[in-house]
Amino acid sequence: MRTKKLSKKEVLAKLKQAQEKDLKYEDGKILCSMCTTPHAAAKQAHEMFLDSNLGDPELFQGSMQLEKEVVAELAELLHAPQTCAGFIVSGGTEANLMAMYAARNAAKTEAPEVVVPESAHFSFDKICRILKIKQVKAKLDADFRVDPASVEQQITKRTVAVVGNAGSAELGTVDPIDSLSKVAVAHGVPLHVDAAFGGLVLPFLKELGYAAPEFDFKLAGVESVTVDPHKMGMSTIAAGGILFRHSKTLQYLKTETPYLTQPYQCTFVGTRPAASAAATWAVFASLGHEGFKKTVAHCMTLTTQLYEGLEEAGFEVLLRPQMNIAAFHAANPKRLTQKLRQKGWYVSQVPRLSCIRLVMMPHTTTQHVTDFLQCLKQVYTK
Ligand code: 0PR
């Protein structure tokens, strides 16, 4: 630690200097992120609850109430029954971890296995390593959705859970959750749905006239769902969400916390920011259902603009986007990513699929898409 302290002015100047090096969502050059500029109400709430800790909730009963209310709103949106339970956690990774931990502990199997789609988020690689669960990958169909027959083939007596994507991180594809639910019920294993990104998109798509398959607790086999407010929820980082169909599942997550104000914790993170839970509550309260629908409509309009623009320019798009993520083939995705970066654009590549992937977030505008397409046409060489 430094021996000569800085003045208040110097501290601020240094912070500003660092912040200036960060990209700004509003500049529209970030086309690879699933996070976005938080809603103004979220920023305000975050600041108000900076020192509140959901890890010791009796000390912060107002914060605890906000978390309960926002979890109830998510539960209602995703058709969870009254018996459900959930938390605002640090992100999709912790949410998926909690779901897998509960499934593994409930099954009490010696050599646990989980069947995930080939397109599962890399958080499952970490989770399975930590929890010592064997990760078995099920094949995808031609539309990059998991093949339920392949999932069923991989189920053994050691399977503790099946995972489906409702908005894959790579392409935003929605696995056939209804079929997976039937497979899960038939084999008596819980189905976990990773809707970290799609959980706050899919519920609004149908109302907007887009095809939107069922993916939530309406389907009997769905035991848990990940849904992240710090992605399409326009909350502050870190706000993930985990919902369990039955609060009794929490028994498999409990750790005793003898000297805290509550006797046990279910989340992995101990000291937990109430700030991002309060921020999530504030966005939900400020936007309501109609506000979210409008945001999703905006992102989908841009996705169509992008998709059509890519096709018109002769790019080979991978699939008609199911959500606000588009992707196109590139002969050398790494080189193209670098070329675009030299022009200030940040896109991501999926080497496995030899493609470039673009996420249309609330901060993106029509002008950004137009500018990007123009630049892409200039720098692309086969
Ligand atoms: N599940 C899905 C479907 C996801 O898309 C992600 C994150 C996770 C789980 C894990 O969530 P956390 O990162 O909250 O733990 N998907 C992106 C990723 O691959 C998120 C992201 C965000 C990527 C910002 C880039 C970026 O700049 O990490």
Side-chain angles (χ1 to χ4, degrees):
M1 200 173 271
R2 66 178 77 232
T3 46
K4 189 178 170 293
K5 64 181 187 174
L6 301 184
S7 71
K8 213 166 137 184
K9 215 169 135 189
E10 286 167 326
V11 170
L12 195 64
K14 287 270 181 205
L15 291 174
K16 280 202 170 137
Q17 227 175 49
Q19 197 174 40
E20 269 158 26
K21 288 188 194 151
D22 288 357
L23 294 183
K24 310 283 173 288
Y25 293 112
E26 307 86 77
D27 293 343
K29 300 284 189 181
I30 306 179
L31 299 175
C32 56
S33 176
M34 289 180 154
C35 294
T36 189
T37 315
H39 189 277
K43 289 186 193 171
Q44 191 183 33
H46 196 102
E47 212 179 310
M48 283 173 71
F49 286 83
L50 276 182
D51 53 2
S52 305
N53 170 20
L54 285 172
D56 207 357
E58 298 288 332
L59 302 182
F60 304 98
Q61 299 204 15
S63 301
M64 181 167 60
Q65 184 60 30
L66 291 178
E67 185 190 27
K68 272 200 181 125
E69 285 180 22
V70 85
V71 164
E73 281 195 79
L74 283 171
E76 190 197 355
L77 185 72
L78 303 183
H79 305 100
Q82 291 295 322
T83 55
C84 75
F87 300 92
I88 298 300
V89 294
S90 59
T93 304
E94 188 185 1
N96 287 338
L97 176 64
M98 285 172 71
M100 294 300 102
Y101 188 53
R104 190 200 71 172
N105 293 352
K108 299 185 181 77
T109 308
E110 270 217 358
E113 296 177 2
V114 58
V115 183
V116 308
E118 264 171 14
S119 53
H121 184 258
F122 56 76
S123 53
F124 287 97
D125 294 342
K126 301 180 190 176
I127 292 163
C128 288
R129 234 181 290 137
I130 292 168
L131 296 179
K132 296 193 164 47
I133 300 177
K134 182 177 169 199
Q135 191 180 196
V136 184
K137 299 217 169 165
K139 291 202 169 25
L140 307 187
D141 63 16
D143 294 324
F144 307 98
R145 291 170 221 167
V146 80
D147 174 6
S150 171
V151 170
E152 187 156 30
Q153 260 170 26
Q154 309 275 19
I155 294 180
T156 69
K157 58 182 190 314
R158 296 177 296 279
T159 305
V160 299
V162 166
V163 173
N165 287 308
S168 67
E170 287 173 347
L171 301 176
T173 49
V174 184
D175 291 324
I177 305 294
D178 52 348
S179 304
L180 294 184
S181 168
K182 285 182 193 138
V183 169
V185 170
H187 290 269
V189 291
L191 170 61
H192 172 67
V193 177
D194 185 355
F197 187 68
L200 285 164
V201 177
L202 291 166
F204 307 98
L205 285 185
K206 204 184 255 171
E207 291 174 38
L208 290 164
Y210 294 93
E214 300 283 4
F215 75 102
D216 64 18
F217 290 102
K218 266 190 186 166
L219 302 167
V222 175
E223 285 298 324
S224 50
V225 177
T226 290
V227 47
D228 285 355
H230 69 198
K231 296 190 170 73
M232 284 297 287
M234 292 159 281
S235 187
T236 52
I237 298 168
I242 179 70
L243 295 174
F244 293 97
R245 178 182 289 275
H246 302 292
S247 58
K248 65 175 197 260
T249 306
L250 300 189
Q251 67 182 292
Y252 302 112
L253 292 165
K254 281 180 182 172
T255 297
E256 276 187 45
T257 51
Y259 51 84
L260 301 188
T261 53
Q262 280 193 345
Y264 54 81
Q265 273 180 359
C266 293
T267 53
F268 275 82
V269 171
T271 302
R272 277 196 301 137
S276 46
T280 306
W281 188 95
V283 188
F284 283 21
S286 304
L287 286 181
H289 191 94
E290 276 308 304
F292 266 92
K293 197 166 126 185
K294 237 167 113 176
T295 305
V296 170
H298 165 76
C299 296
M300 291 308 291
T301 303
L302 295 183
T303 310
T304 306
Q305 182 195 347
L306 177 64
Y307 171 82
E308 287 173 355
L310 287 168
E311 279 216 315
E312 227 172 81
F315 288 97
E316 191 192 333
V317 289
L318 256 72
L319 73 167
R320 195 165 184 104
Q322 273 189 287
M323 295 198 332
N324 43 328
I325 301 180
F328 64 94
H329 274 296
N332 189 336
K334 192 173 168 193
R335 199 178 61 201
L336 184 55
T337 304
Q338 280 162 354
K339 275 188 175 176
L340 287 165
R341 195 167 288 190
Q342 279 159 13
K343 300 278 180 191
W345 294 97
Y346 283 73
V347 302
S348 43
Q349 37 157 343
V350 185
R352 191 170 65 81
L353 303 172
S354 189
C355 74
I356 298 288
R357 138 192 194 280
L358 306 156
V359 192
M360 297 290 99
M361 292 299 289
H363 61 261
T364 318
T365 65
T366 303
Q367 191 60 51
H368 296 146
V369 176
T370 307
D371 293 348
F372 171 74
L373 285 167
Q374 198 182 0
C375 177
L376 178 65
K377 283 182 243 172
Q378 276 168 10
V379 302
Y380 189 74
T381 43
K382 291 201 174 166

